[in-house]
Amino acid sequence: MPEHATITRFAPSPTGLLHLGHAYSALFAEAEARRAGGRFLLRVEDIDQGRCRPEFSEAIYEDLAWLGLSWEEPVRVQSDHMSDYTGALDTLTKSELLYPCFCTRKEIQTEIAAAGHAPHMAPGGLDGPLYPGTCRHVDPQAAQDRINAGAPHALRLKMDIATARTGPLIWQDIGQGEQTAQPALFGDAVLARKDSLTSYHLSVTLDDHLQGVTVVTRGDDLFGATHLHRLLQALLDLDTPDYRHHKLITDADGKRFAKRDKAQTLQSFREAGKSPADVRALAGWRDET
Ligand code: GLU
């Protein structure tokens, strides 16, 4: 296989059963690799241990196989690779690009309200309101004392310093063309959450590099996240894949499918006697899509 072979992946989180939106996304990723004679990978994004369940991971394998998809083994299960993420965080800490943040969501809201203007949001509503910077001004020794005393804390990126270090960055969106990265839209983004040792942004970016993914396919809802992922690639010296964001499929009322819509899960269609071809059609999938 040539070194530049296309490698794509589908990367669901086992926080619920897969629905028609996931089916579309998985078929999209697989077709992208297949058309190019490349490889299709599966990754289970289970860093949020509070919301992920082993039975949902099992259901991912079962549902995708039923749908007729096959992927290359081994599947990368994020919770098995926490040291990769903490290693990347250590690199960023040594580069003085991170700081601990002890704020609760409530405290952040109060601080923003006190500033008297409407909160700025990260693109795609991904990360809540932009952080007002409260903990950035905490004396480092005082912060260390709080950490030593066991205070829960997140790790945030010093966005202005990070972007100044990398300079302007671009990425290629197959479909929408060359994009100028705008990571500053995220402000001082959380790279390690209080409740897990990493974050979606950090782990997904590192994993795509470690798995050699050459084309990241995912829904339009994650388009904005790519701005931040491009910055992380530059800071951590990672490869930059191409991106292809696909439309989000919706129900008859134009609403996106959600994990809570039990009736739209692949499992419930299967139990109701639908065939994989029926479900592909319900997801609006045509192989030339
Ligand atoms: N795990 C993410 C999700 O289920 C997708 C990650 C990605 O494709 O970048 O929404």
Side-chain angles (χ1 to χ4, degrees):
M1 185 160 302
E3 222 173 87
H4 56 269
T6 297
I7 303 178
T8 69
R9 48 63 165 184
F10 175 55
S13 302
T15 53
L17 292 169
L18 299 186
H19 53 62
L20 289 177
H22 293 109
Y24 185 90
S25 203
L27 290 161
F28 191 93
E30 193 268 347
E32 180 81 19
R34 185 163 34 81
R35 270 199 304 267
R39 297 158 53 199
F40 171 59
L41 312 179
L42 177 62
R43 183 164 74 229
V44 174
E45 303 215 318
D46 63 345
I47 52 166
D48 189 345
Q49 290 288 309
R51 290 174 60 224
C52 294
R53 301 269 177 275
E55 60 270 30
F56 294 139
S57 294
E58 282 312 310
I60 288 172
Y61 303 128
E62 204 180 321
D63 287 347
L64 295 180
W66 176 80
L67 202 55
L69 291 173
S70 52
W71 52 89
E72 205 177 280
E73 297 287 346
V75 172
R76 184 171 169 97
V77 177
Q78 288 190 324
S79 58
D80 292 341
H81 298 278
M82 293 311 278
S83 59
D84 287 340
Y85 313 128
T86 50
L89 290 163
D90 283 348
T91 304
L92 296 173
T93 299
K94 288 198 185 98
S95 308
E96 298 186 15
L97 287 169
L98 301 183
Y99 63 95
C101 172
F102 305 92
C103 293
T104 60
R105 237 177 245 179
K106 185 116 209 281
E107 283 164 347
I108 295 173
Q109 270 168 12
T110 309
E111 182 87 15
I112 291 171
H117 53 71
H120 297 291
M121 304 300 282
L126 284 169
D127 287 33
L130 258 57
Y131 183 59
T134 325
C135 285
R136 196 151 165 187
H137 314 294
V138 172
D139 168 63
Q141 188 53 54
Q144 194 53 52
D145 291 345
R146 287 178 75 177
I147 292 171
N148 295 345
H153 62 282
L155 293 175
R156 288 185 180 273
L157 182 65
K158 296 175 185 171
M159 182 57 79
D160 50 350
I161 297 180
T163 50
R165 261 190 220 173
T166 64
L169 298 166
I170 54 163
W171 50 278
Q172 297 297 333
D173 187 88
I174 303 170
Q176 298 192 47
E178 182 171 296
Q179 305 290 316
T180 300
Q182 300 178 63
L185 293 172
F186 283 81
D188 286 358
V190 168
L191 295 189
R193 288 167 41 162
K194 263 187 191 170
D195 54 358
S196 67
L197 295 170
T198 179
S199 63
Y200 158 67
H201 297 302
L202 182 81
S203 47
V204 86
T205 307
L206 191 62
D207 284 349
D208 284 333
H209 168 81
L210 294 175
Q211 293 192 284
V213 172
T214 63
V215 184
V216 170
T217 62
R218 57 188 176 200
D220 266 341
D221 54 335
L222 291 171
F223 185 96
T226 308
H227 291 302
L228 177 55
H229 300 180
R230 180 66 191 89
L231 176 68
L232 294 177
Q233 286 154 7
L235 296 173
L236 291 164
D237 205 13
L238 310 177
D239 297 332
T240 302
D242 288 339
Y243 290 83
R244 190 193 279 278
H245 294 94
H246 60 73
K247 66 173 183 181
L248 295 177
I249 65 153
T250 52
D251 65 14
D253 301 326
K255 268 203 343 290
R256 281 173 54 185
F257 294 107
K259 286 184 172 153
R260 59 182 175 280
D261 297 336
K262 296 281 177 291
Q264 306 295 345
T265 63
L266 304 197
Q267 210 172 77
S268 59
F269 286 122
R270 186 160 76 236
E271 282 163 12
K274 299 274 188 222
S275 70
D278 294 336
V279 168
R280 284 170 181 242
L282 283 167
W285 177 255
R286 285 169 310 162
D287 216 11
E288 68 278 17
T289 308

